C-alpha cells in the first residue's frame, strides 16, 4: 500500500483531511508529523495513522522519520498561518514556512519520495482592488502583501527549485479561505461563534467590507484527495467554491444561524496597514479533474455553527 506522510495533522485542514481519507478507505497508509505547539484537539487517532511529534525545522529528526517510515508521497501542510501574528513575529513564519519547507524538501530528495504536495494559499497572489477584477488563475503572478503570504510564496519557489535542481515531482494547491469544524478561535468564523456564545463583542476590522472567497474545509479535503489521486506532475491547482462574501456578511450569517449576536458586532481599527481588499481564484483547472464543491455557504455555515455549539470545549 502506498504510504503518505503528512505534516501538520494537528491543524485545521490536515486534521480534517486525514479523517476524510480514512473514513473513505482511501488506498493509502498514513504517517504524520506535527510539533503540537498549541491545540492538538484536531489530531485523529486511528490504526491506519502513525503519528510522530516533531518540528519540521529539525533536519535530523525529520530525516530519521523519513528513514524509518519510507513514505512514497508527502503532503506538506505544516505552517504558521495567522496573518495578524505574522505582523508581530515575522521570524517565526520564515523559520517555519521557509526553512521548515526546505527541510521537508531535503528529506523528500534524500529518501526518493515519489511526489511532494505543497499546501499553499490564495493569499500568495496579493489582493484584488475591485469587485469587478477577474479571479486569479494559476498563471497569475505572485504578489504577497504580508509576512505570512510571503513565506508561503517562498515555500512554493523552494518546491519548484527542487524540481529543477533535483527532479522532485510536485503539486501545489492554493485554496481560498476555509471554514468548518475544528478551526481554532483565532480565525474569523470560530472567533465570532465563540464571542456570541460568551456574550462578548465581535471585533470586525474597519467596516467589514473585505471580500473573501469561502470554501468548506470538507470540499478542500476532497480537492486534496483529487490532487493526490489524479493530479498531473508539477502542476498547481487553485481550490475554490467561488462563494464571495464580505466579512460583515459572514458575521451576519453567523448571527442569523445562532439566532443572536447582531448587537455584539463591534467595528475596530485594522492593525494592518492596508488590509487586503478581495481574494478570488479561478478553480476551473482542478474541476477538469472531476472535482466540484458540495457545500453552499448558506448551509455550510449553519452546520459549522451547530458543530461548535455541540463541541464548545474545542473553543477553550
Amino acid at each position: 500500500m502506498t504510504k503518505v506522510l503528512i505534516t501538520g495533522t494537528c491543524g485545521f485542514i490536515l486534521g480534517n483531511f486525514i479523517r476524510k481519507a480514512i473514513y473513505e478507505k482511501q488506498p493509502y497508509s498514513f504517517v504524520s508529523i506535527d510539533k503540537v505547539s498549541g491545540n492538538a484537539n484536531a489530531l485523529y487517532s486511528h490504526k491506519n495513522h502513525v503519528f510522530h511529534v516533531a518540528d519540521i525545522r529539525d533536519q535530523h529528526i525529520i530525516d530519521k522519520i523519513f528513514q524509518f517510515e519510507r513514505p512514497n508521497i508527502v503532503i506538506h501542510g505544516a505552517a504558521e498561518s495567522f496573518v495578524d501574528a505574522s505582523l508581530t513575529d515575522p521570524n517565526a513564519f520564515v523559520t517555519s514556512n521557509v526553512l521548515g519547507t526546505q527541510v521537508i524538501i531535503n528529506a523528500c530528495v534524500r529518501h526518493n519520495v515519489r511526489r511532494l504536495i505543497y499546501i499553499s494559499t490564495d493569499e500568495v497572489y496579493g489582493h484584488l482592488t475591485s469587485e469587478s477584477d477577474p479571479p486569479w488563475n494559476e498563471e497569475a503572478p505572485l504578489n504577497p502583501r504580508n509576512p505570512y503570504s510571503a513565506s508561503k510564496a517562498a515555500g512554493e519557489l523552494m518546491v519548484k527549485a527542487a524540481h529543477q535542481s533535483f527532479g522532485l515531482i510536485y503539486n501545489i494547491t492554493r485554496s481560498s479561505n476555509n471554514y468548518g469544524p475544528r478551526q481554532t478561535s483565532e480565525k474569523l468564523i470560530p472567533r465570532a461563534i465563540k464571542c456570541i456564545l460568551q456574550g462578548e463583542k465581535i471585533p470586525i476590522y474597519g467596516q467589514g467590507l473585505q471580500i473573501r472567497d469561502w470554501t468548506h474545509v470538507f470540499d478542500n479535503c476532497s480537492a486534496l484527495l483529487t490532487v493526490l489521486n489524479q493530479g498531473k506532475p508539477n502542476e498547481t491547482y487553485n481550490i475554490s467554491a467561488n462563494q464571495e462574501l464580505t466579512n460583515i456578511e459572514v458575521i451576519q450569517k453567523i448571527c442569523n444561524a445562532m439566532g443572536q449576536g447582531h448587537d455584539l458586532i463591534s467595528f475596530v481599527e485594522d492593525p494592518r496597514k492596508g488590509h487586503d481588499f478581495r481574494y478570488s481564484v479561478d478553480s476551473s483547472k482542478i474541476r477538469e479533474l472531476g472535482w466540484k464543491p458540495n457545500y453552499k455557504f448558506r448551509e455550510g455555515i449553519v452546520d459549522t455553527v451547530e458543530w461548535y455549539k455541540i463541541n464548545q470545549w474545542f473553543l477553550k
Side-chain angles (χ1 to χ4, degrees):
M1 186 178 288
T2 299
K3 181 178 285 189
V4 179
L5 184 148
I6 306 173
T7 69
T9 48
C10 286
F12 169 47
I13 294 173
L14 278 309
N16 280 296
F17 173 82
I18 201 160
R19 282 174 169 82
K20 180 177 179 62
I22 292 174
Y23 290 167
E24 295 181 356
K25 295 182 169 60
Q26 293 286 330
Y28 304 102
S29 61
F30 294 98
V31 56
S32 74
I33 298 169
D34 199 293
K35 68 177 182 178
V36 198
S37 60
N39 192 342
N41 290 327
L43 183 64
Y44 182 51
S45 177
H46 190 273
K47 63 182 180 180
N48 193 29
H49 175 207
V50 176
F51 178 69
H52 296 273
V53 178
D55 190 327
I56 59 169
R57 297 171 296 181
D58 188 330
Q59 187 73 71
H60 175 73
I61 190 63
I62 294 301
D63 275 330
K64 290 298 183 183
I65 292 171
F66 272 67
Q67 183 179 8
F68 179 75
E69 296 289 356
R70 296 292 179 183
N72 306 110
I73 298 172
V74 171
I75 300 175
H76 176 41
E80 297 288 342
S81 62
F82 187 36
V83 174
D84 287 359
S86 78
L87 302 180
T88 57
D89 187 10
N91 287 4
F93 286 72
V94 173
T95 56
S96 177
N97 301 356
V98 183
L99 175 60
T101 295
Q102 187 59 52
V103 167
I104 296 298
I105 290 170
N106 293 344
C108 288
V109 172
R110 289 171 185 164
H111 300 282
N112 300 310
V113 166
R114 189 185 308 164
R115 180 167 46 127
L116 170 63
I117 301 174
Y118 176 78
I119 310 300
S120 190
T121 171
D122 62 351
E123 293 191 42
V124 298
Y125 293 119
H127 79 145
L128 300 170
T129 58
S130 167
E131 294 183 40
S132 61
D133 288 342
W136 298 297
N137 63 27
E138 290 82 356
E139 303 305 315
L142 304 188
N143 187 31
R145 286 165 43 89
N146 55 65
Y148 161 61
S149 55
S151 67
K152 293 300 290 183
E156 288 194 22
L157 296 178
M158 304 294 266
V159 170
K160 291 183 176 182
H163 169 65
Q164 295 295 330
S165 299
F166 309 111
L168 179 65
I169 304 300
Y170 71 88
N171 288 118
I172 294 170
T173 66
R174 298 172 182 153
S175 173
S176 68
N177 280 41
N178 277 210
Y179 71 100
R182 303 181 184 89
Q183 189 173 32
T184 56
S185 58
E186 66 185 13
K187 303 294 187 176
L188 178 68
I189 289 176
R191 180 180 61 184
I193 295 170
K194 181 179 181 180
C195 286
I196 294 171
L197 289 171
Q198 297 180 352
E200 300 174 351
K201 293 291 186 181
I202 308 168
I204 305 296
Y205 293 154
Q207 295 301 307
L209 300 179
Q210 304 88 351
I211 299 170
R212 298 295 180 261
D213 190 349
W214 290 95
T215 300
H216 197 287
V217 67
F218 294 167
D219 282 332
N220 190 16
C221 291
S222 68
L224 294 177
L225 281 171
T226 299
V227 174
L228 175 61
N229 293 327
Q230 301 165 240
K232 298 178 182 178
N234 311 317
E235 292 289 346
T236 298
Y237 295 96
N238 287 339
I239 300 170
S240 169
N242 301 122
Q243 300 178 96
E244 295 186 34
L245 296 164
T246 63
N247 286 349
I248 189 61
E249 287 175 325
V250 170
I251 299 303
Q252 289 169 341
K253 289 182 184 297
I254 293 170
C255 293
N256 291 341
M258 298 186 72
Q260 59 179 316
H262 291 280
D263 59 323
L264 298 174
I265 295 174
S266 176
F267 298 102
V268 300
E269 184 178 354
D270 190 344
R272 308 179 204 176
K273 294 181 178 179
H275 202 114
D276 292 352
F277 174 64
R278 174 176 170 239
Y279 303 153
S280 180
V281 294
D282 179 350
S283 60
S284 57
K285 185 175 178 180
I286 193 171
R287 292 175 191 244
E288 292 173 0
L289 299 180
W291 175 82
K292 64 178 181 179
N294 292 316
Y295 287 82
K296 298 292 186 183
F297 189 84
R298 62 178 177 271
E299 291 102 12
I301 195 62
V302 172
D303 292 345
T304 299
V305 164
E306 287 304 309
W307 188 91
Y308 281 104
K309 287 170 68 176
I310 294 169
N311 297 278
Q312 293 186 37
W313 57 271
F314 192 90
L315 295 170
K316 294 180 180 179

